[in-house]
Amino acid sequence: MADVAQAPADPQDDRDDQDGPDGSDAVELGGYRQELKRTLGSFQVFAISFAFISVAVGIFGTYDDVLRTAGPVGIWLWPIAGAGQILVALVIAQFAARIPLSGSSYQWASRLANPKVGWGFGWLSFCFLAVAVVAVDNALASQAFMPLVGMEPDEDAARVITLAVLFVQTVLAIASTRIVSALNTAAVGIEVALVVVVSIALAVAVLATGDGAAATLTSRGITAHAPDYFGVGGGLMLAMIMGLATLVGFDSAANLAEEAKDPHRTVPRAIVGSVVAASVLGMLFLIALTVAITDVPRVSAEASPVAAIMRDQLGPVMERVLLVAITFAFFGAGVVSMAACARLVFAMARDGRFPAGRLMRRVGRRTRTPVPATLLVFALGVVLMVALPGAALLELITASTILPALIYGATIVLYLAVRGRLSRRKGAFDLGRFELPVAICALVWTLVALFVLVSPKEAFVSVVIVGGLLLAGGLFFLVMLMTDREALETEPGTLGEVFRD
């Protein structure tokens, strides 16, 4: 990124690629040592973002809510969410191409606005990632593992299983980045195969048996006579949560940028490519599932409707095989969420801007992974599972969807504020003349998404969770202002100078 710091006066000139091919120069110019190990190739970086999004995981975790609030027709809100999130991903990729440091939006805001603003971005991102880990693992327990082993729906059992899964993921995330990468790569391969194979198998089963109908795609199902179906916060609006909750976290690749090879190119491509792939595959999967429903009221009442559809059409043996695959996909998504969160904590801690910063910035000598930061993510998962009232999954999913919407909206505003002065880098991801209309459309979409998420009365507990996390962050911010103001007023390195003269 030295070329960024020394940009010429003409804002349209391309920059020569002067950084080393592995991106190490960017870390050094950022004021840091290359402490994390660079092991991630282009597909592995893509796998990180795709595994975080995890189409099968998102649909398994939220399809039941769509059937109960909007009916099968609610799946058509998925492509709308997909188009909106692709716009957001295009804006995020512009930043990822310029500042490839762990911490993503925290680093971007700190260096392009000021450290205080960056701290706010960092705290929001930390809250999102910490909640997302638990949401994914709780969905693994209740929607995949429990049906797999024949357990009846039980909230307490799901929470115990969630904690056990969190512990195993913590051990693996600490052990090695290579292990995390290998798990993610395998999970992505299995998930893509799962979505494609299940979609084809369901289509063949429907054609062969005649059980199922295309008319289900436009059915309101059990919500046919709901009085508030089209109202603000009503059933149809609630169905948007499936797309909004699934197609997020694509910027997780940017959180591992210091462990990626050639991050100026691989990370932006992974961010955009993962959302596009997930949007297309997800829509195909949803159509196949919905057409294959044989009894809408009965399936809508199931604890895991996707598992019930597969059992009806493909038999109990195939159902179990597919549940094993989806359990592994859930597990991979949880691991990458934990790894991304730990890297963000590490990034903030080494700048002295995270609680217990001296501890949280430590990297294991043998593993070269942020050990205390990873243990913190596990500890927060334990707290959430113990403290949350009621049905934890929907509350966690909604909370982990509100937070990224806030982050993405703020990131787009930041981009609109500084885009005219940002340098360009030859060979790096760049929207060119389309960047302004894309950014404006992305901002409008994010505002719409936020309105959709906070309007339903069912979102109250989730809003309280988000508010509590932000309040805790605000209190720590005030403590820092009184005890360590310098950390919020200085920035290491020269990567902050990404503006043209």
Side-chain angles (χ1 to χ4, degrees):
M1 291 288 288
D3 52 322
V4 174
Q6 300 169 3
D10 183 1
Q12 298 305 317
D13 286 346
D14 286 337
R15 303 302 305 157
D16 292 332
D17 190 356
Q18 298 173 354
D19 283 356
D22 66 350
S24 297
D25 289 355
V27 178
E28 294 171 3
L29 288 168
Y32 310 120
R33 291 187 298 109
Q34 180 68 48
E35 297 181 83
L36 302 175
K37 192 173 183 179
R38 288 194 182 275
T39 58
L40 305 178
S42 57
F43 179 77
Q44 292 167 316
V45 176
F46 167 83
I48 286 169
S49 280
F50 191 85
F52 195 114
I53 295 173
S54 194
V55 173
V57 166
I59 291 174
F60 259 76
T62 57
Y63 191 63
D64 58 334
D65 294 310
V66 173
L67 293 180
R68 292 165 192 160
T69 59
V73 73
I75 68 168
W76 295 108
L77 292 172
W78 176 277
I80 297 174
Q85 296 301 83
I86 289 171
L87 292 173
V88 175
L90 288 168
V91 178
I92 299 296
Q94 296 285 291
F95 277 141
R98 291 175 167 94
I99 306 179
L101 296 174
S102 293
S104 59
S105 59
Y106 158 70
Q107 292 283 6
W108 307 334
S110 295
R111 297 169 186 278
L112 299 177
N114 63 66
K116 295 185 181 69
V117 174
W119 185 91
F121 276 75
W123 186 258
L124 279 172
S125 299
F126 164 69
C127 293
F128 159 53
L129 291 168
V131 172
V133 175
V134 190
V136 168
D137 289 347
N138 190 250
L140 181 160
S142 62
Q143 300 297 306
F145 183 79
M146 292 174 70
L148 173 64
V149 298
M151 294 178 64
E152 293 296 321
D154 183 273
E155 178 68 22
D156 292 336
R159 294 187 186 220
V160 172
I161 295 169
T162 300
L163 293 176
V165 172
L166 276 169
F167 177 77
V168 175
Q169 290 170 336
T170 301
V171 173
L172 294 175
I174 288 174
S176 170
T177 301
R178 283 188 179 275
I179 292 177
V180 173
S181 174
L183 281 170
N184 288 327
T185 301
V188 167
I190 290 173
E191 185 168 352
V192 171
L194 171 71
V195 170
V196 173
V197 170
V198 170
S199 297
I200 294 173
L202 288 175
V204 170
V206 170
L207 290 173
T209 65
D211 293 333
T216 310
L217 294 170
T218 57
S219 169
R220 285 176 55 179
I222 63 174
T223 69
H225 303 292
D228 61 344
Y229 186 79
F230 294 103
V232 174
L236 189 62
M237 183 178 287
L238 278 170
M240 182 71 82
I241 194 174
M242 180 166 63
L244 292 176
T246 303
L247 301 172
V248 295
F250 40 82
D251 53 325
S252 58
N255 266 329
L256 278 76
E258 292 179 32
E259 293 159 89
K261 302 172 184 177
D262 194 13
H264 298 286
R265 295 179 178 86
T266 58
V267 173
R269 292 171 184 172
I271 289 170
V272 178
S274 61
V275 185
V276 173
S279 299
V280 173
L281 287 174
M283 193 68 245
L284 294 175
F285 190 36
L286 285 169
I287 291 173
L289 283 172
T290 305
V291 169
I293 296 176
T294 57
D295 185 335
V296 174
R298 177 179 59 79
V299 170
S300 299
E302 292 278 353
S304 183
V306 177
I309 293 169
M310 292 190 298
R311 181 173 62 251
D312 291 344
Q313 292 288 358
L314 306 176
V317 174
M318 184 59 68
E319 176 201 8
R320 288 187 177 277
V321 171
L322 296 172
L323 281 175
V324 170
I326 194 61
T327 299
F328 187 78
F330 269 108
F331 188 82
V335 170
V336 76
S337 302
M338 177 173 285
C341 188
R343 270 59 177 183
L344 176 62
V345 172
F346 164 78
M348 295 181 70
R350 70 181 173 185
D351 291 338
R353 299 173 191 158
F354 198 86
R358 290 184 179 179
L359 174 64
M360 293 301 156
R361 67 171 295 169
R362 291 182 182 175
V363 173
R365 290 184 180 180
R366 185 177 61 83
T367 64
R368 295 182 67 183
T369 57
V371 177
T374 307
L375 291 173
L376 173 66
V377 180
F378 171 72
L380 288 174
V382 173
V383 171
L384 284 172
M385 281 292 91
V386 171
L388 274 181
L393 181 57
L394 182 59
E395 295 163 359
L396 287 168
I397 288 174
T398 307
S400 64
T401 307
I402 294 172
L403 286 163
L406 291 171
I407 296 164
Y408 295 152
T411 303
I412 295 166
V413 170
L414 174 66
Y415 184 75
L416 288 170
V418 304
R419 54 166 290 274
R421 296 178 288 149
L422 286 174
S423 65
R424 301 190 187 281
R425 178 186 183 84
K426 186 177 180 180
F429 186 88
D430 192 350
L431 288 177
R433 66 179 182 274
F434 296 106
E435 63 179 11
L436 182 58
V438 167
I440 291 173
C441 291
L443 180 60
V444 172
W445 161 252
T446 304
L447 293 174
V448 171
L450 272 171
F451 176 75
V452 168
L453 290 168
V454 302
S455 295
K457 61 180 183 297
E458 289 84 355
F460 176 74
V461 174
S462 301
V463 172
V464 171
I465 293 172
V466 172
L469 292 170
L470 297 183
L471 177 61
L475 293 174
F476 176 70
F477 183 80
L478 292 176
V479 171
M480 284 196 65
L481 282 177
M482 293 185 291
T483 61
D484 192 10
R485 180 179 290 268
E486 183 179 358
L488 294 172
E489 294 179 346
T490 58
E491 193 67 45
T494 60
L495 274 176
E497 299 169 2
V498 295
F499 296 129
R500 293 187 180 273
D501 297 333

